[in-house]
Amino acid sequence: MNIELFVQRTELLRQRLEDLYQTANVLPWIPSDLIPEAFKELYTTSQMLQLAVEELYQQNEEFIQTRKLLETQRQHYQDLFEFAPVAYLITNQQGIIQEANHVAEKLLNISANFLVGKPIIIFIPHEQHPYFYNKLTQISQSQKIQKLLLPLQPRESDKFDASLKVKSFTPKHGKTTNLHWLIQKISEHHSIASKTFPIESDLIDDFPINKYSKGELIALNPLLICYVRQGLVKLSTFSEIGEELVTGLATSGMVFSPSMTSLATYQAKALTDVELASISLTEITVSPSMNEILLPKIQQRLQQTESFLFITSRKKVQDRLHHLLDFLKKKIGEPVPEGTRLTFRLTHEDIASICGTTRVTITRLLSQFEQQGIISFDHKKHIICNRHLRKENV
């Protein structure tokens, strides 16, 4: 039964009970003290049920709207990945291609439809296979960016020397590890820039730094990309009735910008004291080093949006909260004797917005989780996810 039909039938039941109750009260030959107590209680219960249904209906509407907004933003990040100016591949640990953008199609001279499912090694000369397999094992076991210099053989085209930068990423809701590849022709790399590229931290330090205090709204410019040097930023939009909907959380090393979303209303707020570097889109266009740094971070925002979509896809609010806490534990958690402490505090309103429910519901569920030993709180009211918080409990 869909929720609209359920609401209609509940309202019909309430109206019938109200008519019966009123009739029993006004009949002159039936004294009011003879009205069965059970009938009175049934009427009261129907009123409570009606209130609960109205709240359920409102939560369902908010949940649907949040899902639509997140899907819109996810598609926008996917478009940024597809049309990035650098060849980008995503493979599994065995090197089987799972995603490829348009530049990768052109570089390897094969459409993405045919690339997906193919091992990347088919584009590497046979004599380099032992070396490549050895490096693939090392890459999968490390969290550091690895750089390979290898010849590549595109489909029905001339071989060329390439620079491959690769890093392993573990999906938020899975046990497998993906490898993310940036590929450039070495000849292009040297002709565009004749100097050695600086490391990320040194490069970001060259841009203007802006500081915001906790609770302060961040001024957004569509011609700039904001790089979070320190702190936590809440990214949000607003529903048609003016309710705030959280669409992302940007922590240290992440980026955000109005140019990276298609949402009509987009707001950034400092949840802690924040330091941001402002990077001009013009600078990104002419700098291959900035492209290499920012493309994985745009992909990171896409992955976070997909994680939020996964969370809101859970039917039960309790399940959504479980998955959100598990996500936050991985992204902003630090180990403590009791489990994993969230380094930043989110309000119950923020958590409710992500989970597509109300603040009252989140407060109640957090209290239940605390009683069950799933979470606890430190003296600063930071949530501690105890070791009992596991996806299999959901």
Side-chain angles (χ1 to χ4, degrees):
M1 181 188 301
N2 61 43
I3 190 168
E4 287 80 7
L5 182 59
F6 181 63
V7 170
Q8 292 174 6
R9 292 187 177 181
T10 303
E11 174 61 20
L12 182 60
L13 172 64
R14 188 196 65 79
Q15 290 177 356
R16 289 178 177 175
L17 286 172
E18 183 176 359
D19 291 343
L20 287 172
Y21 185 75
Q22 295 297 332
T23 300
N25 273 301
V26 299
L27 289 177
W29 58 83
I30 301 180
S32 59
D33 57 351
L34 295 180
I35 299 175
E37 288 298 323
F39 186 81
K40 292 182 180 180
E41 184 176 345
L42 181 60
Y43 176 71
T44 302
T45 302
S46 73
Q47 291 180 314
M48 295 175 61
L49 177 61
Q50 180 68 18
L51 291 174
V53 168
E54 290 175 359
E55 182 181 355
L56 175 63
Y57 185 82
Q58 180 183 356
Q59 290 185 16
N60 186 65
E61 290 297 310
E62 294 172 357
F63 170 67
I64 293 173
Q65 193 167 28
T66 301
R67 287 271 300 167
K68 289 180 178 178
L69 289 170
L70 284 171
E71 180 59 35
T72 299
Q73 191 165 13
R74 185 208 67 79
Q75 184 58 52
H76 190 73
Y77 284 122
Q78 184 66 39
D79 292 341
L80 289 174
F81 165 75
E82 291 290 347
F83 297 102
V86 181
Y88 202 101
L89 296 175
I90 298 177
T91 73
N92 62 14
Q93 287 178 287
Q94 290 72 44
I96 306 300
I97 298 171
Q98 298 175 334
E99 293 185 54
N101 68 358
H102 291 298
V103 178
E105 291 182 2
K106 294 179 179 179
L107 192 66
L108 299 175
N109 200 30
I110 183 172
S111 69
N113 291 335
F114 293 101
L115 271 175
V116 173
K118 300 290 193 303
I120 192 174
I121 199 169
I122 66 174
F123 301 102
I124 298 172
H126 187 269
E127 61 272 16
Q128 296 290 337
H129 285 189
Y131 168 76
F132 178 77
Y133 277 125
N134 181 56
K135 295 298 292 185
L136 198 62
T137 302
Q138 296 178 19
I139 292 165
S140 300
Q141 297 173 351
S142 173
Q143 291 296 316
K144 296 182 179 179
I145 296 176
Q146 305 284 329
K147 183 174 180 179
L148 308 179
L149 299 177
L150 284 170
L152 291 183
Q153 178 65 65
R155 180 175 176 268
E156 297 180 357
S157 186
D158 295 333
K159 182 170 61 176
F160 62 85
D161 291 332
S163 169
L164 295 82
K165 290 188 177 180
V166 57
K167 190 178 189 301
S168 63
F169 285 91
T170 301
K172 309 300 183 302
H173 303 285
K175 298 180 180 179
T176 60
T177 296
N178 292 333
L179 304 181
H180 292 223
W181 304 77
L182 283 172
I183 306 174
Q184 284 185 301
K185 285 186 178 181
I186 287 182
S187 57
E188 292 180 355
H189 180 78
H190 283 272
S191 62
I192 292 173
S194 58
K195 62 179 182 179
T196 303
F197 294 146
I199 61 175
E200 179 178 326
S201 58
D202 292 339
L203 192 62
I204 298 301
D205 286 341
D206 293 336
F207 292 95
I209 305 300
N210 297 300
K211 296 183 179 181
Y212 295 87
S213 300
K214 179 180 178 181
E216 190 175 356
L217 290 178
I218 295 170
L220 298 176
N221 185 334
L223 299 180
L224 298 175
I225 284 183
C226 296
Y227 176 99
V228 182
R229 287 166 47 92
Q230 178 181 315
L232 178 66
V233 176
K234 177 177 68 175
L235 307 174
S236 60
T237 186
F238 291 89
S239 68
E240 295 177 353
I241 60 175
E243 292 183 339
E244 186 179 25
L245 302 172
V246 177
T247 60
L249 297 171
T251 58
S252 178
M254 296 183 67
V255 297
F256 63 91
S257 170
S259 63
M260 294 168 59
T261 180
S262 57
L263 297 176
T265 305
Y266 191 66
Q267 178 178 281
K269 183 178 182 180
L271 294 184
T272 65
D273 292 342
V274 170
E275 286 189 10
L276 302 175
S278 299
I279 306 171
S280 166
L281 292 178
T282 303
E283 178 71 24
I284 297 170
T285 303
V286 301
S287 171
S289 57
M290 289 306 304
N291 271 301
E292 291 184 357
I293 288 173
L294 294 180
L295 183 56
K297 298 186 180 302
I298 293 173
Q299 180 71 7
Q300 186 181 23
R301 284 287 297 120
L302 170 62
Q303 290 176 335
Q304 186 184 92
T305 303
E306 290 178 337
S307 294
F308 278 21
L309 279 170
F310 177 86
I311 291 168
T312 59
S313 70
R314 304 294 89 188
K315 293 183 179 180
K316 296 181 179 179
V317 178
Q318 180 177 345
D319 294 351
R320 294 179 220 156
L321 181 57
H322 259 291
H323 282 287
L324 177 61
L325 291 175
D326 185 66
F327 170 81
L328 294 174
K329 180 178 73 171
K330 295 176 181 177
K331 302 305 296 183
I332 59 172
E334 62 178 9
V336 294
E338 298 87 351
T340 303
R341 173 182 176 272
L342 304 187
T343 54
F344 300 114
R345 285 185 60 189
L346 292 175
T347 66
H348 291 189
E349 193 71 40
D350 292 332
I351 297 174
S353 177
I354 298 172
C355 292
T357 185
T358 64
R359 180 188 58 79
V360 174
T361 300
I362 291 300
T363 300
R364 175 176 56 81
L365 286 175
L366 288 176
S367 178
Q368 287 182 6
F369 283 11
E370 185 179 14
Q371 293 173 8
Q372 295 167 5
I374 296 174
I375 64 170
S376 57
F377 296 89
D378 67 5
H379 66 286
K380 293 184 178 180
K381 298 299 181 181
H382 287 239
I383 295 176
I384 298 175
C385 299
N386 298 332
R387 294 179 179 86
H388 301 294
L389 181 64
R390 294 289 185 271
K391 287 182 222 178
E392 54 264 30
N393 290 339
V394 179

